[in-house]
Amino acid sequence: MRRSLIAAVAVASLSAPIALATAGSAAAAPVPPKAPVTDFNHDGYADLAISAPGGTAGATPGQVSVVYGSATGPDTAHAKTITRGTPGVPGTPENGDRFGNHTAAADLDGDGYTDLVVNGGDKSVVLWGSAQGLTGEGSTELASNGARVTAGDFNGDGERDLVTAEYPEPEDPMDNDDQGMTISYGPFKRDGKPASSQQVVTSQTFGPGDFVVGDLTGDGADDIVTSHGFEEMAYKSQFWQGGKDGVATTSQKLAPSLGGAIADVDGDGYGDLVVRDIGDNFEDMPYQKGTILVRYGSADGPSTRTAKITQDTAGVPGVGEDGDEFGSSISAGDVNGDGFADVAVGIPGEDIDAVADAGSSVLLKGSRAGLTGTGSQAFQQSTEGVPGAAEKGDKFGSQVLLSDTNKDGKADLTVTAPLEDGAYADSGAAWHLRGAAGGLTVTGVTSFGPAAIGANDKGVRFGDHLAR
């Protein structure tokens, strides 16, 4: 069956993990990109927002569970689950809403509390952070549906902005079918209105399928990489440079890709683009072994210095096999505290001990030489110390996220298996492994599903998306 790239991304629940920048200057030494902490209650610990866009008996109203960070990692005892039916949240739960299908975490109003934009239904919703975290009270419905909503600072003013795959259709149906993106610049008011907005034409017919956001040029403004495709064809990705006047309206063409992260893996101060190389036909993705493409950053954006990493790269655990989908989810963060960003890679189609599609994850370590297979680690449900058991079709590694939930200066790994069976089929689950000087460790590893945090668990696909 033929599908557009945007539809395929939605079905596959692929995300584009985000690594964001601090202020810097193109004339001075570059400032390496640094992701703002997702901290809904402003206590210094990174929090998790885990989407479960499925629902009971075929209904798909959706829900988002917030698990707050603490000195011991995710605090499941005080988790909060929010739906369209939560007091203060506009609208009512409806079949097909898929509330939480896509989310973006950012302090939109500049009050020090991270807010959460939730896609699902006709219009997206902003859940405002507070000392109590996310409660639903005072939430705002935006004017748009927030398609592929992603956060960044695209003009380098220190305020958080949003980009969505939305562009006005021409009034005259005979006009060309331009596709594009809308950038909404912060700070946002509590009624959801941005300070200003910008619309950029990205292409005709095959508009953005996703966004990868971060500062490749070291100028303190986040840049955008968009993915494109039409029917079975994957087209060139595009690099759009951010700057003090906003996002450039012309782009640099890159190899086709989908999802990824921007982070400084070689410590030179420039963000590096780490994406999934998908070739020229996106419908082949479920059958691919999977390849990670690294394009190192420079003052001019993505440079000609590149590297490719697969499961067959020296040092990377496992063997590349058709259908593994190495790189279907990518996230970056410094796991061992050595100053180089490391990269977590999801491999949801990995077969474990002849168990089909049980799934796995790999940590690739950054270094002065860049991202390589040296010192890589692999984790799945069959790894000693990791709770659970590898089962057919779990898709462990569907989503990966590196963030410092216990505030020890080392990023921890959250990895999900949305097709994990609990009391019900496809209830989903998440695992959390701590970062340490030697890399990820199973010491203190935790695992939880929606039932463990008091959320609906009947076929909800907990972990289909992780807020970034």
Side-chain angles (χ1 to χ4, degrees), residues 26-422:
V31 178
K34 183 179 180 181
V37 176
T38 296
D39 188 0
F40 302 119
N41 55 5
H42 195 55
D43 63 357
Y45 298 98
D47 304 322
L48 304 173
I50 305 174
S51 294
T56 60
T60 54
Q63 61 192 28
V64 177
S65 296
V66 182
V67 183
Y68 297 99
S70 72
T72 57
D75 180 10
T76 56
H78 298 93
K80 172 75 174 180
T81 296
I82 297 175
T83 72
R84 281 280 187 179
T86 299
V89 177
T92 56
E94 295 184 9
N95 183 25
D97 275 355
R98 292 182 59 81
F99 187 75
N101 178 58
H102 203 80
T103 58
D107 180 8
L108 297 178
D109 58 355
D111 65 354
Y113 297 95
T114 304
D115 312 306
L116 186 67
V117 182
V118 184
N119 166 273
D122 291 336
K123 295 180 179 180
S124 56
V125 170
V126 180
L127 307 174
W128 300 104
S130 69
Q132 292 75 44
L134 298 182
T135 65
E137 293 296 335
S139 299
T140 304
E141 196 168 55
L142 298 181
S144 71
N145 68 12
R148 308 305 299 166
V149 62
T150 305
D153 180 9
F154 306 115
N155 57 6
D157 66 353
E159 303 289 350
R160 307 309 293 165
D161 313 317
L162 298 175
V163 58
T164 62
E166 294 170 287
Y167 193 78
E169 295 184 5
E171 294 182 6
D172 185 347
M174 298 303 293
D175 289 345
N176 58 18
D177 188 17
D178 284 339
Q179 295 292 311
M181 57 185 172
T182 296
I183 299 100
S184 301
Y185 293 97
F188 286 70
K189 295 181 179 179
R190 282 298 179 109
D191 62 3
K193 293 181 179 179
S196 63
S197 63
Q198 176 189 11
Q199 291 169 332
V200 177
V201 175
T202 56
S203 63
Q204 291 183 351
T205 305
F206 38 94
D210 73 348
F211 303 102
V212 180
V213 170
D215 184 8
L216 277 87
T217 62
D219 65 354
D222 286 334
D223 311 307
I224 302 173
V225 175
T226 56
S227 297
H228 302 269
F230 182 68
E231 295 186 339
E232 78 279 3
M233 293 301 296
Y235 293 91
K236 295 285 188 181
S237 291
Q238 300 182 62
F239 166 75
W240 307 85
Q241 186 169 348
K244 62 182 181 62
D245 297 322
V247 176
T249 56
T250 58
S251 69
Q252 174 185 343
K253 298 297 193 299
L254 307 174
S257 64
L258 189 64
I262 295 173
D264 187 9
V265 299
D266 63 353
D268 67 351
Y270 293 104
D272 305 310
L273 178 64
V274 185
V275 294
R276 180 183 181 184
D277 184 347
I278 62 174
D280 59 5
N281 188 324
F282 75 85
E283 288 189 340
D284 287 343
M285 288 191 296
Y287 314 106
Q288 293 175 344
K289 296 178 181 180
T291 300
I292 298 295
L293 172 65
V294 184
R295 291 197 62 156
Y296 291 92
S298 72
D300 298 318
S303 71
T304 57
R305 180 187 167 210
T306 65
K308 287 189 177 183
I309 300 175
T310 70
Q311 282 190 280
D312 297 319
T313 298
V316 178
V319 176
E321 298 172 314
D322 291 343
D324 281 351
E325 293 198 84
F326 179 81
S328 67
S329 181
I330 297 171
S331 183
D334 186 0
V335 169
N336 53 13
D338 64 356
F340 300 101
D342 307 307
V343 174
V345 181
I347 322 171
E350 179 90 335
D351 295 348
I352 305 297
D353 298 327
V355 179
D357 298 337
S360 181
S361 62
V362 161
L363 180 72
L364 303 173
K365 295 180 180 177
S367 68
R368 185 65 64 187
L371 197 67
T372 69
T374 302
S376 298
Q377 299 174 279
F379 297 90
Q380 60 272 141
Q381 289 190 73
S382 63
T383 300
E384 185 175 355
V386 175
E391 297 172 314
K392 183 178 180 180
D394 279 351
K395 296 287 187 177
F396 183 92
S398 290
Q399 289 285 291
V400 292
L401 175 67
L402 291 174
S403 63
D404 187 7
T405 60
N406 61 357
K407 202 169 59 172
D408 67 351
K410 300 177 179 65
D412 312 305
L413 174 65
T414 302
V415 56
T416 70
L419 300 183
E420 173 84 359
D421 294 343

